[in-house]
Amino acid sequence: MELLEQKILTEGKVLSESVLKVDSFLNHQIDPRLMKQIGEAFAHRFSDAGVTKVLTLESSGIAPAQMTGLSLGVPAIFARKRKSLTLNDGLYSAEVHSFTKNVTNEISVSKEYLSSEDTILILDDFLANGQAAKGLINLVQQSGATLAGVGIIIEKGFQDGGKQLREQGVRVESLATIASLNHHTVTFSKEGASV
Amino acid sequence: MELLEQKILTEGKVLSESVLKVDSFLNHQIDPRLMKQIGEAFAHRFSDAGVTKVLTLESSGIAPAQMTGLSLGVPAIFARKRKSLTLNDGLYSAEVHSFTKNVTNEISVSKEYLSSEDTILILDDFLANGQAAKGLINLVQQSGATLAGVGIIIEKGFQDGGKQLREQGVRVESLATIASLNHHTVTFSKEGASV
């Protein structure tokens, strides 16, 4: 998605060979028009998948999930992150380890909003080692719902989460795929260059 | 806002005389079309205020802030919640006590995204005792930005946050105002009934 790649090039901050900060339009400040285009892009890519709900993880996934749900005409759900197990009644939950922050969160979603009748599109802002996506897939599996696939805004193609998911047969669609962050420079791979 | 009040009446769960749960369309699952209408309603109410940015608090404020920013053509920012003070460099931060959860969070926003040139519309899902709104106002004051006002989706008119803010001269616009949750029944006050 070209507008997204331009934003990453002009506003993204390469903090290391593995960390890209996009706080100015995605993770802290949001560019609403870009989010609208991102939502339309995901809706277009998964238009054939019979999606009944969009599932994401708080907080950065919420704006794109809202716009994708709006485009597809289906509800969006954001899984909650918690530090520790509290009341677990009525929740599907899974553990997600963040290597960036070195913390394990429990993520959960109410059983009321995921059912075996649903076809779920999972959305997330970044895909690196795939921990968050795997946790969300775990929630979908617990509910018995069908997984339409995983939509990712920025995939770090040099980490192996995307490869692992695709090898498991999961449909992964990334709007921008980064081949490398070496030398403080963002290099996109071809997959990311196409709309 | 009539559609919002209908949603509250049909899907809201009155858990006590002070707690209303709206997880099916606002706080966990999101109704994207309702969020669009909420964004348009806030944009309409504050169309004369010269808003340059919308500021909310993660997570439930993000979808309505996205839609309001889209309608107004300005960026949205979500303040982050943290349990404890960590790195504070480059952040405006304030403490917010949640009486519902009996926990004090630090909320913060990067100094990069709020400046004295800005005119800020604060948005939040609920207004009860006003702790979150006051914390967000504190962040705006630290930045030297102008406060356009506070937009609230559901105001608990029987708690005094709204009264306190209005007495301080803050413009507060609530899309639905609840007079009472007694007898497991939602009763709206007149302010909430008008669009």
Side-chain angles (χ1 to χ4, degrees), chain A residues 16-64:
Chain A
S16 74
E17 294 190 353
S18 62
V19 179
L20 171 71
K21 203 173 168 189
V22 288
D23 269 10
S24 71
F25 59 90
L26 180 57
N27 294 130
H28 184 25
Q29 181 168 258
I30 301 169
D31 178 335
R33 275 170 289 194
L34 179 64
M35 294 302 135
K36 181 170 185 277
Q37 293 190 30
I38 284 171
E40 289 165 354
F42 284 132
H44 178 71
R45 289 188 184 211
F46 288 95
S47 59
D48 59 345
V51 174
T52 63
K53 288 192 179 177
V54 176
L55 174 66
T56 190
L57 187 56
E58 62 179 353
S59 290
S60 297
I62 295 176

Side-chain angles (χ1 to χ4, degrees), chain B residues 4-9 12-22 25-26 125-128 152-160 162 166 174-182 184-193:
Chain B
L4 174 62
E5 293 190 355
Q6 282 172 11
K7 272 279 199 185
I8 293 169
L9 290 174
K13 291 177 187 166
V14 181
L15 299 188
S16 74
E17 293 189 354
S18 63
V19 179
L20 171 71
K21 202 174 169 189
V22 287
F25 60 89
L26 179 57
D125 53 344
F126 274 97
L127 175 63
I152 296 293
I153 300 177
I154 304 174
E155 179 175 348
K156 292 176 179 170
F158 55 88
Q159 290 184 258
D160 64 353
R166 290 179 182 101
S174 300
L175 302 185
T177 302
I178 293 172
S180 154
L181 294 173
N182 295 347
H184 298 282
T185 303
V186 178
T187 310
F188 293 106
S189 60
K190 281 184 190 166
E191 294 91 326

Side-chain angles (χ1 to χ4, degrees), chain A residues 137-153:
Chain A
I137 290 171
N138 186 332
L139 300 181
V140 171
Q141 287 170 337
Q142 288 177 49
S143 74
T146 302
L147 179 65
V150 176
I152 296 293
I153 301 177

Side-chain angles (χ1 to χ4, degrees), chain A residues 13 23-24 27-30 32 35 53 58-59 66-67 70 74-78 80 109-110 112-113, chain B residues 13 23-24 27-30 32 35 53 58-59 66-67 70 74-78 80 109-110 112-113:
Chain A
K13 290 176 187 166
D23 269 10
S24 71
N27 294 130
H28 184 25
Q29 181 168 258
I30 301 169
M35 294 302 135
K53 288 192 179 177
E58 62 179 353
S59 290
Q66 155 69 19
M67 298 316 297
L70 188 64
V74 302
I77 312 167
F78 53 95
R80 295 278 192 181
V109 83
S110 168
E112 280 186 70
Y113 306 122
Chain B
K13 291 177 187 166
D23 268 10
S24 71
N27 295 130
H28 184 25
Q29 180 168 260
I30 300 170
M35 294 301 136
K53 287 191 179 178
E58 63 181 353
S59 289
Q66 155 70 19
M67 298 317 297
L70 188 64
V74 302
I77 312 167
F78 54 95
R80 294 280 192 179
V109 82
S110 168
E112 280 187 69
Y113 305 123

Side-chain angles (χ1 to χ4, degrees), chain A residues 113-135:
Chain A
Y113 306 122
L114 284 186
S115 88
S116 58
E117 309 286 298
D118 281 314
T119 298
I120 305 295
L121 169 58
I122 288 173
L123 284 195
D124 208 6
D125 54 343
F126 274 96
L127 175 62
N129 43 55
Q131 296 300 303
K134 286 173 194 166

